[in-house]
Amino acid sequence: MAIGIFDSGLGGLTVLQACQARMPDVDFVYLGDNQNAPYGVRTSDDVYRLTTQAVEKFWDHGCDLVILACNTASAAALRRMQESWVPADKRVLGVFVPMIEALTERNWGDNSPPREVDVKQVALFATPATVASRAFQRELAFRAIGVDVETQACGGLVDAIEDGDMVLAEALVRSHVDALKRKMPNPQAAVLGCTHYPLLQDVFQNALGADVKVYSQATLVADSLADYINRHPEKVGSGCKSLFLTTGDPLKVSDRATQFLQSAVTFRAA
Ligand code: DGL
């Protein structure tokens, strides 16, 4: 029995790690669309086409439940997929909602009208495509009123992380935080809305200052998923072993992933 975890590249491994720690008895099939990464600079149509193509590979591996551990795919493609593409016996979930539920202190399935929440000034750091989709503001508006959101599209950051150039990545984080602070000098909370960014959480926190609460997704998504599969155990699917798949070069991707996770990982061709 396995659950699919999808990302455009390596960033979703942060979510996978948290899910494995939270649900040690569940097998996961991870698929990185490394050949087509980054998604963050693509149009919504393109992200939709690539994401649906990738998710079909999970059906072939017996995963009936797939997590889009990619904010860009969750923001730009998920709603359209759920409305008209996902077969009735399968389920595709995204990573946006658990984070917004944490920010607005709501529980899963709380469908009461939007209400005032403690946090009033929120900074969102994400890819250009996620920022352009405005999906974060839309999902937030279903749950909360009176929250100002200022966004910062972090151009170049995913490429630097995928290339393993952490010196450049850190410099980019500092300059993106500066740019955000020019628009919103005193955010109360900051959302790292890209699965690659938890790797630089300390750098974000330092640049933002200790009084800003930084929300990072991996553990929030793992908790939400554990809750979901408790209520829907049948959705764990018939796939039966953990696998790492990539549309890119398996040797290269395995090397980078091993560096990224700091433990050995072997990818095979999807
Ligand atoms: N890691 C992905 C996300 O969470 C996107 C990175 C990319 O491919 O641009 O948005």
Side-chain angles (χ1 to χ4, degrees), residues 74-111:
S74 300
L78 180 59
R79 185 170 283 262
R80 185 167 158 199
M81 289 168 72
Q82 287 171 332
E83 280 170 3
S84 58
W85 184 82
V86 180
D89 59 337
K90 316 272 190 223
R91 196 76 202 257
V92 181
L93 302 174
V95 286
F96 250 64
V97 169
M99 190 167 59
I100 291 174
E101 284 171 347
L103 190 71
T104 56
E105 293 173 20
R106 287 202 171 219
N107 292 324
W108 195 91
D110 173 354
N111 291 325

Side-chain angles (χ1 to χ4, degrees), residues 7-8 11 37-41 69-72 127 130 158 193-196:
D7 186 40
S8 57
Y39 278 17
V41 290
C70 173
N71 290 268
T72 308
T127 65
T130 298
V158 167
C194 171
T195 45
H196 286 67

Side-chain angles (χ1 to χ4, degrees), residues 136-240:
F136 182 83
Q137 291 91 325
R138 188 179 61 228
E139 294 294 338
L140 186 65
F142 290 137
R143 298 167 177 82
I145 46 176
V147 184
D148 278 347
V149 177
E150 192 56 74
T151 56
Q152 180 63 32
C154 298
L157 190 48
V158 167
D159 294 280
I161 296 171
E162 290 271 330
D163 291 345
D165 188 343
M166 299 315 270
V167 174
L168 173 61
E170 288 182 21
L172 287 170
V173 168
R174 281 190 283 269
S175 93
H176 287 304
V177 169
D178 280 350
L180 183 284
K181 283 187 148 186
R182 284 196 288 277
K183 299 178 277 187
M184 179 182 270
N186 295 306
Q188 290 165 279
V191 171
L192 305 189
C194 171
T195 45
H196 286 67
Y197 302 173
L199 286 179
L200 293 154
Q201 183 156 349
D202 293 349
V203 186
F204 274 101
Q205 184 75 69
N206 277 340
L208 284 158
D211 50 341
V212 180
K213 183 163 168 54
V214 175
Y215 286 83
S216 168
Q217 282 166 324
T219 47
L220 296 174
V221 172
D223 288 347
S224 257
L225 179 59
D227 176 58
Y228 180 84
I229 62 174
N230 259 341
R231 286 176 294 108
H232 302 277
E234 76 289 353
K235 281 283 182 284
V236 178
S238 58
C240 60

